[in-house]
Amino acid sequence: MENKVEKKVLIASLVGSSIEWFDYFLYGTVASLVLNQAFFPSDDSAISTMLAYATFALSFFIRPLGGIIFSHIGDRIGRKKTLVLTLSFMGGATVLMGVLPTYESIGLAASILLLVLRLLQGIGLGGEWGGALLLAVEYAPKNKRGLFGSIPQMGVTIGMLLGTLSLSIMTLLAEEAFMTWGWRVPFILSALLVIFGLWIRKGIDETPSFKKSQEKGEIAKVPFLETMRKHWKEVLIAVGAKVVETAPFYIFGTFIVSYATVQLGFSKTITLNAVTIATVVTTLLIPIMGNLSDKIGRKKLYVGGTILMILYAFPYFWMLNQGTGFFLILATVLGLGVIWAPITAVLGTMFSEIFKTNVRYTGISLGYQIGAAVAGGTAPLVATALLKQFNNSYVPVALYIILASVISLIAVSAVRDRNNQDLDAEDAA
């Protein structure tokens, strides 16, 4: 019976997380292909792309607010109810994007409405990640917590995979058809995925850790204030640790679409295919890395992946600039598929292990979402600006990846491994 419940929890965590990220990444991929022209037209294509990426970045800055709102509910009322709210929020905004009139139809109002819907997506995702992660981690046996915590992380890459795959199919349409209506199809069809996700989550019970906290009467009155008063150091560690997981991810997965097609002359299809192949590889590697962290520890895997990221920054761009499809795919697979996998696989579990149960939702959400806001959403925008400033030289962008990695190494230096220890042991102590 216990195994059956655990499987159901993992499916609910993975499905919901995948749908949320699918909705979120659709926007990121479409930003440089369609939205720059349809909602932010300009005589300078670089400015249009930067404006589209700016709206991509803005949603990251609203994510911490979503994290505060929904993690308050999650730490006060429960993880399960919160996850139904976040999925509904995200799904509604995404479907509306699919039917939004363009700049040509209603002028500036189109740009504003798109921005509002993107901000609603950010609020929804701000609360989703922490809930999906805790659903898995707080149900996990102590010797499998790394594996369980890696499963919702697969939702990030599965969501991205669904997004790039659906758009790869749509780019097979004639250019005019794709620009007019083809890009809208995945947004509108996401409504079916949301309904499925809500149905899956309906049958899940509250997590054991939250129930224990309720029984002991340890529910924080205002989780945000409790977190900032007693756990601000842990929040800073989580913010810093998130940097290397998020900045290179958006370079390898989002910025590459614009860089490879506009600067290097690759077709949209082969660029999206490179990202798709890399995403498949990393999706398969994430649970393997999560399982490995239960044996050797989260910190060792995380630090190893981060050091590899530093060493890979320049070779990545060198390979891209060889100008062949083979090197484009190889560079993307090594970066996004292999080197990034151990970092993201252990990140959520590592965060969960440094916060007490009564503020865990709030603590991990703040760390994750502030880190994403500072280093993730800005990454494509910063990289595009650096290219423009330095005459299309990739050197500053590579240095940017190295800087992100160094920041994270400093942040996790204070973390100690807690694999094979009881998650709530610190609470009892």
Side-chain angles (χ1 to χ4, degrees), residues 168 171-172 256-257 260-261 264-277 323-330 332:
S168 291
T171 56
L172 297 175
I256 180 66
V257 176
T261 55
L264 304 180
F266 286 102
S267 71
K268 290 174 186 174
T269 305
I270 193 168
T271 306
L272 289 172
N273 285 346
V275 174
T276 302
I277 294 165
T324 67
F326 171 77
F327 274 111
L328 170 65
I329 293 168
L330 181 63
T332 310

Side-chain angles (χ1 to χ4, degrees), residues 83 125-135 361 364-365 368-369:
L83 286 170
L125 192 66
E128 163 67 25
W129 179 82
L133 182 84
L134 292 186
L135 193 63
Y361 202 142
I364 66 171
S365 295
Y368 189 91
Q369 303 304 350

Side-chain angles (χ1 to χ4, degrees), residues 189-414:
L189 289 182
S190 71
L192 300 174
L193 294 175
V194 172
I195 292 165
F196 176 66
L198 291 171
W199 175 74
I200 286 278
R201 284 184 169 176
K202 191 180 176 185
I204 300 298
D205 198 9
E206 195 47 77
T207 70
S209 292
F210 183 78
K211 282 182 177 178
K212 280 183 205 169
S213 195
Q214 267 187 324
E215 287 163 10
K216 291 176 186 173
E218 293 176 350
I219 301 296
K221 286 184 179 176
V222 186
F224 174 74
L225 296 180
E226 178 89 358
T227 305
M228 298 315 293
R229 190 166 60 245
K230 295 183 180 178
H231 297 275
W232 61 271
K233 287 180 184 175
E234 287 87 347
V235 171
L236 285 179
I237 288 169
V239 170
K242 175 67 178 165
V243 173
V244 72
E245 191 257 3
T246 195
F249 175 80
Y250 286 104
I251 298 292
F252 298 150
T254 302
F255 167 73
I256 180 66
V257 176
S258 171
Y259 180 68
T261 55
V262 177
Q263 302 295 333
L264 304 180
F266 286 102
S267 71
K268 290 174 186 174
T269 305
I270 193 168
T271 306
L272 289 172
N273 285 346
V275 174
T276 302
I277 294 165
T279 307
V280 171
V281 172
T282 202
T283 303
L284 296 172
L285 280 179
I286 284 171
I288 294 170
M289 294 297 172
N291 190 46
L292 186 59
S293 79
D294 285 319
K295 296 175 174 63
I296 67 170
R298 311 320 157 212
K299 188 173 177 177
K300 285 178 186 173
L301 266 181
Y302 177 93
V303 170
T306 304
I307 290 169
L308 284 175
M309 191 69 78
I310 292 171
L311 297 174
Y312 186 63
F314 278 97
Y316 169 69
F317 282 101
W318 178 85
M319 280 191 275
L320 292 179
N321 279 266
Q322 297 311 297
T324 67
F326 171 77
F327 274 111
L328 170 65
I329 293 168
L330 181 63
T332 310
V333 167
L334 286 175
L336 180 60
V338 179
I339 295 171
W340 183 74
I343 299 171
T344 197
V346 303
L347 191 81
T349 311
M350 193 164 69
F351 284 7
S352 301
E353 291 172 338
I354 61 175
F355 290 100
K356 287 176 66 176
T357 305
N358 65 342
V359 294
R360 188 172 291 138
Y361 202 142
T362 303
I364 66 171
S365 295
L366 278 175
Y368 189 91
Q369 303 304 350
I370 293 171
V374 172
T378 56
L381 183 62
V382 169
T384 304
L386 286 172
L387 277 181
K388 193 172 171 64
Q389 183 68 32
F390 292 93
N391 298 317
N392 297 329
S393 169
Y394 64 74
V395 172
V397 187
L399 291 173
Y400 173 62
I401 292 173
I402 291 170
L403 175 64
S405 305
V406 171
I407 289 169
S408 291
L409 283 178
I410 294 168
V412 299
S413 60

